[in-house]
Amino acid sequence: DAGVIQSPRHEVTEMGQEVTLRCKPISGHNSLFWYRQTMMRGLELLIYFNNNVPIDDSGMPEDRFSAKMPNASFSTLKIQPSEPRDSAVYFCASSLDRERADTQYFGPGTRLTVL
Amino acid sequence: SQQGEEDPQALSIQEGENATMNCSYKTSINNLQWYRQNSGRGLVHLILIRSNEREKHSGRLRVTLDTSKKSSSLLITASRAADTASYFCATARAGGSYIPTFGRGTSLIVHP
């Protein structure tokens, strides 16, 4: 298995632009998680899906952030408009199912820089 | 809010020495996991210990859990330069959603 796939690996954009991050979970995994990692705040859970349905989005910082999972093999995290404080590494992770959501498999991350 | 907190924040040792990292948490847990993150990479799951277990081994890794003290330790024996990474504990709250909450991590440097 290729593992969790994220694209792009690096993104540099200017303030105010829309940013879309993409994730392909491991085939057969039913839960998908989006995290943000910064030096200041560590690893923060933004949102997680189970069977393509958003379960908890309380970690989403504000309305500028939105996430979708149109099918079991694809998810997006969108920031519109982007701001410099959104600069971070964004990780997607998947796990086998919600009730055993204890072992997560992380993608390589997308390093976002907003100028 | 972060449930687990690792200690120390940074650890520097020589190859061959043992490395011990600790994790403390505040509320009752269902399980506790340790993950490793190499620079520029995603987190990799190392080991999971459940609340009714006291010790687990995996290769050169030894994890202990003391629920009375709400703490866990990760021991890496005979460390190698390749063990250089950040190590995170993640706790799943008892009666909670099973979603692990990550600490801030311990940065380990193993000098060859």
Side-chain angles (χ1 to χ4, degrees), chain A residues 9 33 35 37 39-43 45 48 91 99 101-104 106-107, chain B residues 2 31 33 35 37 40-43 45 48 50 88 97-100 102 104:
Chain A
R9 292 293 310 277
F33 309 82
Y35 290 90
Q37 186 178 40
M39 289 295 292
M40 289 290 291
R41 300 173 69 88
L43 194 66
L45 176 64
Y48 78 92
F91 288 103
E99 292 305 314
D102 40 20
T103 300
Q104 300 189 351
F106 281 75
Chain B
Q2 283 156 341
N31 64 61
Q33 304 174 68
Y35 286 78
Q37 184 179 31
R41 302 288 187 92
L43 279 72
H45 181 260
L48 179 150
R50 300 199 183 278
F88 295 84
S97 65
Y98 287 84
I99 306 303
F102 289 84
R104 299 298 294 268

Side-chain angles (χ1 to χ4, degrees), chain B residues 35-79:
Chain B
Y35 286 78
R36 182 184 75 201
Q37 184 179 31
N38 289 84
S39 180
R41 302 288 187 92
L43 279 72
V44 175
H45 181 260
L46 295 176
I47 199 165
L48 179 150
I49 187 165
R50 300 199 183 278
S51 59
N52 60 353
E53 297 175 312
R54 293 295 168 259
E55 186 171 314
K56 285 190 85 168
H57 297 257
S58 177
R60 293 183 295 113
L61 305 181
R62 172 178 170 249
V63 170
T64 62
L65 179 64
D66 187 334
T67 53
S68 66
K69 295 182 179 178
K70 291 187 171 58
S71 68
S72 172
S73 67
L74 170 66
L75 169 67
I76 304 174
T77 59
S79 64

